[in-house]
Amino acid sequence: MNPVPWSQTTALVVAQQPRENDPGGQKEDFGKSSPVGLLMLVLLLASVFLLVRSMNKKLKKLPVSFGAEGADGAGAEAKEPVAANAGASVIAAGKAAAKAAKAEKKAGGDSAAPAAEAPEKD
């Protein structure tokens, strides 16, 4: 069998005449996928909605910060969940805690360092 040259195959495809009863791509199954596609789209949107709602609930339960608890117990306040209407008071408390930590660090009083050292045995 001899292969047909590319130029002749292209000419044969282009030269074909359309059939008389050609529905133009709309055969008996045309349009039947739209209900299935709509169902899949609705299920996808419902699942995304439920996932976002669940994630928002989880995020509201997170603590304000994940810092270590200090010797004065300041970290215990940070572990409480944030209320939805806490807003400015939480930010102000965080800024005050950050300023206190910076002042303590400048003074050289690192509260975590003495607790980390092992006691000497006599």
Side-chain angles (χ1 to χ4, degrees), residues 4 11 34 36 43 63 72 74 79 100 114:
V4 179
S34 61
V36 175
L43 289 175
D72 59 349
K79 291 186 180 179

Side-chain angles (χ1 to χ4, degrees), residues 2 18 25 40 45 50-51 87 94 98 104:
N2 294 334
M40 289 177 61
L45 290 175
L50 292 174
L51 284 171
E104 185 177 335

